[in-house]
């Protein structure tokens, strides 16, 4: 293998397009200069269609976890009750954020590998009528499960006055946000997943209903959305931003507009179908069922013929291929394939081919080419 050749197929960080690299390599500009104000105003507007909202988008120089914390602490008074759906490691993180910040947190625990149902959520809402917010993970990165956010939001609004706070870190930019249409009150994402940027930025959008709750929140100094709200009027963030990342964000937004956002979403669906067809053709078990499967990450279970971490290590050494392992209770039991952001059907075919070789070298009884062929057959149906 070429020493400098790598294939990053983890569910974040994801590869960076050359166009975006060049944009981030522009000369540094002052973050209080008119040129930056113009850049920041432009990117703030270009984000709105990606989130599916006419509301402002607040850009934080921080990771997605900071956006989760901002979502909670700005819109919910300390000590109030929240319901958190926990169906994986990142639902667990959302709950941990609430518990750390002193909220009365009820965890709706769901088996890892499936989505929460509207009936389960309705039952929980009826038991906890005093809940002020329901926290949902749109795409659970640790399992490759996508929750039915539109239907879940409708359930919350039908049976309570609670806010709907959504973690979209590992999917926004690859799947529809439709924040306004689905009545989501807070939607957040991060830069290093489907948004095709390095880690370091996160984004928060609030509905008018959530904005009205800002006076009741108890945010930290840095994550106080009211400060971002005030400065956005001047096309500035309140604190020093990651200027180069925002230059890259402008280029990312242009790339999505050129492809069209509908085609971006369709491409992710095709890659999901190709990946799942290829894995099934190799006789490997998938963690998520067809209905719950994520368009941005696919999780594959171990069998008695191979250990996921052993396969990952082999592929990393032999090809420079990076796949992700399992987290927490799934550690060592699955491997995860990221197919989001700057990723194409050609990348899926290459990844499946390398996985086939690795499996055969580990003694797994597969037919070389079977997975690639199945993925090819999916692809040709769409062209």
């Amino acid at each position: 293998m070429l020493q400098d050749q790598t294939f990053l197929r983890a569910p974040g960080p994801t590869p960076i397009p050359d166009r975006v690299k060049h944009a981030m390599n522009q000369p540094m500009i002052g973050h209080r200069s008119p040129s930056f104000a113009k850049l920041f105003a432009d990117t703030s507007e270009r984000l709105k269609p990606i989130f599916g909202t006419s509301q402002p988008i607040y850009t934080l120089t921080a990771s997605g976890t900071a956006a989760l914390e901002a979502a909670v602490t700005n819109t919910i008074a300390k000590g109030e009750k929240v319901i958190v759906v926990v169906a994986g490691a990142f639902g667990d993180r959302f709950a941990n954020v609430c518990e750390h910040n002193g909220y009365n947190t009820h965890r709706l625990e769901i088996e890892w590998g499936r989505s929460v149902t509207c009936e389960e959520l309705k039952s929980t809402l009826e038991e906890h009528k005093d809940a002020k917010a329901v926290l949902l993970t749109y795409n659970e990165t640790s399992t490759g499960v996508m929750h039915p956010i539109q239907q879940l939001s409708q359930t919350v609004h039908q049976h309570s006055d609670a806010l709907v706070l959504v973690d979209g870190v590992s999917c926004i930019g690859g799947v529809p946000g439709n924040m306004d249409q689905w009545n989501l009150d807070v939607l957040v994402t991060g830069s290093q997943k489907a948004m095709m940027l390095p880690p370091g930025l996160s984004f928060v959008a609030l509905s008018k209903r959530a904005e009205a709750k800002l006076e009741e929140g108890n945010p930290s100094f840095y994550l106080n959305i009211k400060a971002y709200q005030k400065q956005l009027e001047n096309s500035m963030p309140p604190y020093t931003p990651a200027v180069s990342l925002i230059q890259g964000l402008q280029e990312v937004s242009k790339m999505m507009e050129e492809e069209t956002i509908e085609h971006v979403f369709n491409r992710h669906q095709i890659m999901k179908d190709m990946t799942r067809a290829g894995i099934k053709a190799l006789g490997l078990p998938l963690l998520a069922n067809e209905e719950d499967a994520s368009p941005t990450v696919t999780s594959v279970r171990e069998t008695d013929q191979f250990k996921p971490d052993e396969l990952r290590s082999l592929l990393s050494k032999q090809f420079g291929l990076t796949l992700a392992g399992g987290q927490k209770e799934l550690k060592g039991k699955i491997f995860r394939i990221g197919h989001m952001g700057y990723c194409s059907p050609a990348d899926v075919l290459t990844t499946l081919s390398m996985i086939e070789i690795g499996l055969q070298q580990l003694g797994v009884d597969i037919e070389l080419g079977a997975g690639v062929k199945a993925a090819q057959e999916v692809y040709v149906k769409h062209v």
Side-chain angles (χ1 to χ4, degrees):
M1 142 184 132
L2 295 173
Q3 292 300 311
D4 64 344
Q5 188 175 32
T6 59
F7 302 89
L8 185 58
R9 292 273 73 87
T14 60
I16 312 301
D18 286 343
R19 281 178 58 177
V20 177
K21 293 177 187 175
H22 292 315
M24 292 190 296
N25 201 34
Q26 294 177 75
M28 183 56 58
I29 58 176
H31 70 283
R32 299 298 181 212
S33 65
S35 55
F36 179 79
K38 183 179 179 180
L39 168 68
F40 195 69
D42 183 64
T43 58
S44 298
E45 284 299 312
R46 290 177 187 269
L47 285 168
K48 290 180 179 180
I50 300 170
F51 277 71
T53 188
S54 59
Q55 286 288 98
I57 311 291
Y58 303 105
T59 299
L60 315 180
T61 298
S63 73
T65 302
L68 299 181
E69 188 159 40
V72 175
T73 59
N74 279 273
T75 61
I76 309 167
K78 198 161 188 175
E80 289 185 330
K81 180 179 284 188
V82 298
I83 296 168
V84 187
V85 174
V86 179
F90 290 93
D92 178 63
R93 178 174 296 184
F94 221 170
N96 287 336
V97 167
C98 294
E99 290 159 352
H100 177 82
N101 282 283
Y103 294 97
N104 180 359
T105 306
H106 175 77
R107 291 168 172 253
L108 172 51
E109 298 280 358
I110 302 298
E111 177 189 1
W112 290 28
R114 74 170 179 87
S115 66
V116 63
T117 67
C118 292
E119 290 73 21
E120 288 169 324
L121 183 54
K122 177 185 174 183
S123 177
T124 302
L125 286 164
E126 289 173 346
E127 292 175 15
H128 300 274
K129 295 183 183 294
D130 55 340
K132 299 299 183 182
V134 175
L135 282 60
L136 304 168
T137 307
Y138 192 168
N139 189 78
E140 179 52 70
T141 325
S142 67
T143 61
V145 166
M146 177 160 285
H147 294 275
I149 293 298
Q150 180 181 7
Q151 294 86 348
L152 294 172
S153 177
Q154 185 177 25
T155 298
V156 174
H157 292 306
Q158 284 177 343
H159 299 283
S160 76
D161 292 323
L163 296 176
V164 177
L165 279 55
V166 177
D167 168 4
V169 170
S170 65
C171 63
I172 295 301
V175 303
N178 292 343
M179 179 177 168
D180 292 351
Q181 184 182 344
W182 296 349
N183 292 319
L184 310 182
D185 292 299
V186 185
L187 179 60
V188 310
T189 197
S191 57
Q192 78 278 16
K193 308 276 188 176
M195 294 298 292
M196 301 188 287
L197 286 163
L201 294 180
S202 57
F203 311 97
V204 182
L206 282 73
S207 69
K208 291 186 183 297
R209 201 162 76 108
E211 284 181 338
K213 303 282 285 185
L214 290 178
E215 294 301 325
E216 301 176 23
N218 186 42
S220 69
F221 178 84
Y222 185 71
L223 299 179
N224 189 336
I225 294 297
K226 286 188 290 184
Y228 289 83
Q229 198 175 47
K230 181 178 179 180
Q231 282 296 90
L232 191 60
E233 297 172 5
N234 302 318
S235 299
M236 296 277 179
Y239 313 114
T240 306
V243 174
S244 297
L245 291 180
I246 293 169
Q247 289 173 320
L249 175 62
Q250 185 180 55
E251 197 64 29
V252 165
S253 302
K254 289 178 181 178
M255 289 179 67
M256 289 187 178
E257 289 165 11
E258 290 167 12
E259 185 177 357
T260 76
I261 197 68
E262 293 78 12
H263 191 276
V264 170
F265 298 155
N266 186 56
R267 170 166 52 84
H268 282 79
Q269 286 289 332
I270 292 170
M271 293 190 296
K272 176 197 84 170
D273 293 343
M274 290 175 66
T275 303
R276 290 178 64 82
I279 293 298
K280 286 190 283 188
L282 296 173
L284 302 184
L286 293 159
L287 182 62
N289 64 31
E290 200 64 37
E291 184 178 359
D292 294 343
S294 163
T296 62
V297 55
T298 296
S299 293
V300 185
R301 293 180 183 269
E302 66 179 343
T303 72
D304 56 5
Q305 295 187 69
F306 82 101
K307 296 297 182 186
D309 288 349
E310 189 177 0
L311 175 65
R312 291 172 55 235
S313 178
L314 185 154
L315 293 174
S316 176
K317 292 175 182 176
Q318 186 157 285
F319 296 117
L321 174 64
T322 298
L323 301 173
Q327 296 175 292
K328 297 195 173 183
E329 64 184 62
L330 292 175
K331 188 174 179 63
K333 298 179 180 179
I334 63 170
F335 70 88
R336 294 176 293 147
I337 306 167
H339 36 82
M340 70 178 91
Y342 192 53
C343 184
S344 73
D347 294 312
V348 172
L349 295 174
T350 302
T351 300
L352 286 170
S353 177
M354 289 186 278
I355 289 172
E356 288 180 351
I357 292 171
L359 289 168
Q360 187 177 77
Q361 290 177 338
L362 291 176
V364 181
D365 184 18
I366 64 158
E367 178 185 349
L368 284 177
V372 172
K373 180 175 183 291
Q376 289 172 328
E377 290 171 348
V378 170
Y379 178 73
V380 295
K381 292 178 183 177
H382 293 276
V383 296

